[in-house]
Amino acid sequence: MKNKTTLVYLFIVLLLGSYAHVMAQQRTVTGKIIDQATKQPLPGATVNIKGTSQGAAANASGVFSIPVPGDNAVLVVTYIGYGTQEIAVGKQTELNIALSNAISNVNEIVVIGYGQVKKRDLTGAVVSIKGDETVKVPASNTIEALQGKIPGADIYRDNGYAGGQSNIRIRGTRSIGNPASSNNVLYIVDGVQGVSMSDIDPNDIQSVDVLKDASSTAIYGSRGANGVIIITTKRGTTGKPKLTFSSYAGVSDVSKYGRMQSGPEYVAFKREAYRAAGTWNSVADDPLIFNQKELNAIRNQQYINYPDLILHHGTQQNYQVGVSGGTDKTKIYFSAGYYREKGILAGDDYKRYTARFNLDQTINSWLKVGISSQYANINNNIRRDPFNAASKAIPLGLPYDSAGNVVMYTVDRLQINPLVDEQPGSWAANTKTNRFSGAAYADITPLKGLDIRSTFSTTQWSSVAGQFYGKNSINGNGANSQASVTNTQSNFISWENIITYNREIQDHAFTVTGVTSYIQNIGTGSYAFAKNQTFPSQLWYNLAGATQSPGYGSNYNKYALLSFTGRINYSYQGRYLLTLTGRSDGSSKLGPGNKWAFFPSVAGAWRVSDENFMKKQHLFSELKLRVGYGISGNDVIAPYATQNTLTQIKFSYDDTNLAPAYTINPSIGNSDLKWELTATTNIGVDFSLLKDRISGTVDYYDARTYNLIFPYTMPSSTGVSTISRNIGKTSNRGVEVSLTTNNIVSRNFHWTSTISYAHNKEKITELPNGNVIDNDYRKSLILGQSPTIYYDYKKLGVWQTSEAAQAAQYDALPGDIKLADISGPDGKPDGKITAADRTIIGTRVPKWTGGFNNNFTYGNFDLNILFIARVGQWMSSDYYAKYVRNGSQNGSAVDYWTPENPTNAYPRPNATRSSSNITTLTEYENSYVKLRNVTLGYNVPKSFISRAKIEHVRIYVSGKNLWFYSSNNKDFDPESEGIIDQPLSKLFVAGLNVTF
């Protein structure tokens, strides 16, 4: 018995000793993760034990806690957009970890197609922007906030309407058949395609990654032919829930708007027009050229400045609340936002309500599921353009009567007051849009290194657009009212399955990715309209109550895309990198035998800085060479474009009774259409100098597009007008540079600059029958030139009095536009101005674009200053086209020729001479530099807010579009290219960011 008792005690002692040994090995390590520069916590940063699947996430305060198996454990700390750190635990139990967000950091996590890699392992041309950059500029959409920050992305906004979108083109124009839509960028939001950028609240964004070359975009095949922008939104975090509140509000004003002639200037202009015609010689002749109302207005000095009356101060406001939190197994992010913009025109109003819900749920050690969802409700009141009427309205008379009501006709029945649309019951246009995007995924890790993910996503979109104009409106002009309504629906679905396998064998590392993808989109629509509403107050809600011209119609389209993709990423010793990608796409838009195409790419990189011979040098801390080649495609046609369709016509046997009949659509189908293809070569270098003081990227690319899908004009004898064919080739070559400098780094003051530069040369390299010369000066296509040229007569100036004899040879008088006599039938000047004298004036795309972004921090203050530049592009301005020589309308305030003012700017007003070749007056080189944004912020010290359980408070003021310089244009904001009906605005806001 005693022996048994002794054995039991011995067993207990051994058990306790083993437990104590295990506990000594297995212990908990805690710590806090912060931004190295700002010292702010990084909630959601992940901490993993290297070589295992065990991990944890930092809570709202950046604090984490993780059990470690022993002193030899290594923690891997990552955060999207920041550098990765590996920390040997040793005997430490508390850690303070500072992550760097320097662009040069080679361990920064970058999102690529269907995966993530460290920046050091990139082989393609990818630009990564952190989410906080998207909220530095007050913007209604994410793309506008990226302006000037992505080399190779030409971003600009040419309209100032509330909620207006920005234009973006990555590495030039490839397709020329339908350049407005066939060069569009592909957007991916949390792996979901088909999401509208106008639905994304910038406060929800974690990171933005832009894929530019074929080796990066090839994994998206035809969908990525024009570049890919991947947006990663915020996800839930472990720990105490985190609440954020962001808001700003401010006022807007017109940025710069060209001045129209004042009343006295218009009177002088019209007098000069009739003096040139021999009708007017003095004020005594005014009754010959002005009607009685106009004479009364001139006598009483009743002058109207319509643009001043139309332009108002606008407002802009944005509010967003975000909540993130969770446990080790369940992580949730939710946000709700409200954005409203009242434009600088009365009746121009945009409201957006958004909500986002992201959930990640770990079921067990091998299964994880989750959802990403986005909802947007948009209510947009749209003002009809009043400026075209206002720019030509005679500025005489009184716009309002003695009771304050708008006078419909001020001086004659031919000119309606452009203010009438601001009156109740005159004009209404509204579009209500609902969009829901959602994705559900299941992620399985059955074996170490093997990950299988299946994602089903959908975007459901519906809109109702109604429009009404009354009898007493600009459109109605005293005739009948009209109303219309259009209903549009879109059903987009996507199912993707991704298999990823990672394996390391000594010095070799492999990542193999396989993807299957199915995309389908169904679009439907219907419309109805009618005139002369019985009750105008019913707008478009009771079209059956109208009495005239009812009409209706509907449409349907469907297309699908099936894809199979494979990619291999290989690394040897982390120095020699290789990426091989192949994707096969099948499009329902194309005809039998041509639906499928294969898009391969290959890219390699050499990390020169990791070589032994680089260890003794101190100039480069990072140096990597990259080269890639790939082919991408584009099915730019609409569904059913390969098929012949019918068009309804009216037919009558007896010239009295009409019956429906059908004929072949003038644009016939072509079942032989193939994919547009673009082959791109990219050579790049990534570098960091002087201990990361200077870092940057330089890329050279050569993209050649062939098998262009182009609407080919058929001979009239065929009975049809056009057919889409694979004809022609284009080329885009360019250089992109991104440079980041840490100018000053001290304990209290930090100044960082980022410079972006991109030069692109685009040209047409092949056309089926030579040059395509169009009557429209904006649509000609010429070999060796950009697809977006102005092909017009060249204005030399204005014929002067001393040149009367020479002008007569061209049927011109002193004061007429002087055009260049460039060519004749035999290729030489022939003393005549004919179509042969047209030439290339300029191109609408810039020779180069750039950005200069500066971030300053001093104590608790931060300052952001952003300049952008677009240089070398030409414009044809609506503003400068507002010139009617005979004086029947008002127009732009310009310098025009008279015998007393022999300018070379504009021709002499003349009541009997032609106003032809007016386009030559509108074409100007339109280079400019703009101060895009200035934001000054202050981070409230924690000592003031900690008692209120508030973690962080930042207040700021910001200004947008504050200043510009343009050597050839001082009349309007050059970014708008002189579009007279949509002037851009400048904005001043104050904002608040709070974290609880």
Side-chain angles (χ1 to χ4, degrees), residues 163-423:
Q165 300 301 298
S166 296
N167 304 292
I168 180 171
R169 187 68 49 83
I170 294 180
R171 291 188 168 182
T173 302
R174 296 169 179 82
S175 300
I176 60 177
N178 184 16
S181 61
S182 57
N183 292 282
N184 288 345
V185 172
L186 172 66
Y187 298 103
I188 309 290
V189 180
D190 292 335
V192 180
Q193 301 183 28
V195 180
S196 172
M197 287 300 96
S198 62
D199 298 348
I200 307 297
D201 190 314
N203 291 286
D204 284 334
I205 294 175
Q206 183 70 40
S207 66
V208 179
D209 295 272
V210 183
L211 284 56
K212 298 185 291 185
D213 68 326
S215 69
S216 301
T217 64
I219 198 164
Y220 290 107
S222 62
R223 303 282 291 172
N226 301 302
V228 180
I229 295 180
I230 301 176
I231 293 178
T232 303
T233 63
K234 296 175 180 177
R235 313 296 293 188
T237 57
T238 302
K240 185 182 70 173
K242 172 186 174 183
L243 174 66
T244 61
F245 172 73
S246 301
S247 70
Y248 68 77
V251 296
S252 59
D253 197 1
V254 65
S255 176
K256 179 74 174 177
Y257 191 74
R259 189 175 67 83
M260 300 300 159
Q261 291 182 129
S262 65
E265 288 172 329
Y266 168 74
V267 170
F269 184 93
K270 189 168 185 178
R271 286 169 174 169
E272 180 62 33
Y274 281 89
R275 179 172 78 124
T279 305
W280 186 93
N281 292 297
S282 68
V283 175
D285 295 326
D286 276 356
L288 300 176
I289 62 175
F290 295 106
N291 64 35
Q292 190 58 50
K293 286 188 175 181
E294 292 170 336
L295 291 171
N296 292 338
I298 296 170
R299 184 181 307 110
N300 297 317
Q301 296 186 355
Q302 296 171 345
Y303 305 127
I304 309 172
N305 188 324
Y306 284 111
D308 274 1
L309 295 175
I310 290 172
L311 289 167
H312 305 276
H313 290 292
T315 61
Q316 192 174 120
Q317 53 187 312
N318 188 65
Y319 307 94
Q320 194 254 16
V321 176
V323 180
S324 63
T327 65
D328 290 340
K329 291 189 175 182
T330 305
K331 297 179 177 65
I332 295 174
Y333 176 80
F334 169 78
S335 73
Y338 170 71
Y339 173 85
R340 182 169 188 182
E341 182 178 358
K342 289 185 177 181
I344 54 179
L345 301 179
D348 181 24
D349 185 27
Y350 179 91
K351 288 186 288 187
R352 180 187 67 201
Y353 301 87
T354 59
R356 171 165 289 278
F357 180 72
N358 295 340
L359 169 67
D360 300 287
Q361 176 68 51
T362 299
I363 305 298
N364 51 42
S365 60
W366 55 269
L367 177 61
K368 183 179 179 180
V369 298
I371 60 174
S372 299
S373 60
Q374 166 80 39
Y375 171 74
N377 172 274
I378 297 172
N379 189 337
N380 191 11
N381 290 311
I382 305 161
R383 172 72 183 274
R384 181 211 186 276
D385 161 34
F387 287 108
N388 278 309
S391 63
K392 59 188 179 184
I394 295 173
L396 301 177
L398 296 174
Y400 303 99
D401 61 20
S402 57
N405 300 312
V406 168
V407 176
M408 189 168 180
Y409 299 102
T410 55
V411 290
D412 61 47
R413 297 288 298 181
L414 299 177
Q415 175 187 293
I416 192 167
N417 188 333
L419 298 171
V420 294
D421 281 357
E422 296 184 8
Q423 308 312 301

Side-chain angles (χ1 to χ4, degrees), residues 13 73 96 198 203 206 282 289 346 402 430 435 500 525 549 586 623 654 677 804 827 863 871 912 930 952 991:
V13 170
N96 290 315
S198 62
N203 291 286
Q206 183 70 40
S282 68
I289 62 175
S402 57
N430 177 268
R435 269 191 294 263
T500 305
S549 306
L623 180 62
D654 55 8
L677 299 174
L863 175 66
V871 177
T912 58
K930 176 179 281 192
H952 179 240

Side-chain angles (χ1 to χ4, degrees), residues 712-871:
Y712 183 78
T713 302
M714 301 291 287
S716 58
S717 59
T718 62
V720 294
S721 59
T722 59
I723 180 173
S724 292
R725 293 176 55 189
N726 292 104
I727 52 177
K729 298 178 181 178
T730 59
S731 167
N732 281 271
R733 293 181 181 177
V735 175
E736 299 166 351
V737 179
S738 178
L739 190 66
T740 296
T741 61
N742 290 298
N743 306 311
I744 299 176
V745 180
S746 66
R747 183 176 181 181
N748 294 319
F749 183 65
H750 193 183
W751 172 24
T752 300
S753 299
T754 300
I755 301 170
S756 65
Y757 167 87
H759 164 74
N760 180 71
K761 174 68 174 178
E762 62 180 34
K763 64 180 180 180
I764 300 170
T765 57
E766 183 180 296
L767 288 169
N769 296 314
N771 298 335
V772 178
I773 306 301
D774 196 281
N775 289 331
D776 189 324
Y777 70 107
R778 297 161 296 187
K779 295 182 179 180
S780 293
L781 302 174
I782 296 178
L783 283 170
Q785 299 296 325
S786 166
T788 56
I789 59 171
Y790 294 119
Y791 188 74
D792 203 353
Y793 299 99
K794 184 177 181 180
K795 174 178 171 285
L796 298 177
V798 176
W799 289 108
Q800 301 299 320
T801 303
S802 61
E803 301 173 307
Q806 185 181 358
Q809 298 177 16
Y810 294 92
D811 295 325
L813 296 173
D816 287 348
I817 298 175
K818 184 180 181 180
L819 302 176
D821 181 9
I822 294 174
S823 183
D826 59 355
K828 297 179 181 179
D830 60 353
K832 299 178 182 178
I833 300 299
T834 65
D837 293 303
R838 292 197 291 172
T839 188
I840 299 165
I841 303 300
T843 175
R844 297 191 290 278
V845 297
K847 292 180 180 179
W848 64 269
T849 59
F852 182 38
N853 191 30
N854 293 272
N855 287 298
F856 305 86
T857 59
Y858 178 73
N860 290 330
F861 289 92
D862 60 82
L863 175 66
N864 174 256
I865 301 176
L866 172 63
F867 291 90
I868 61 169
R870 297 181 82 234
V871 177

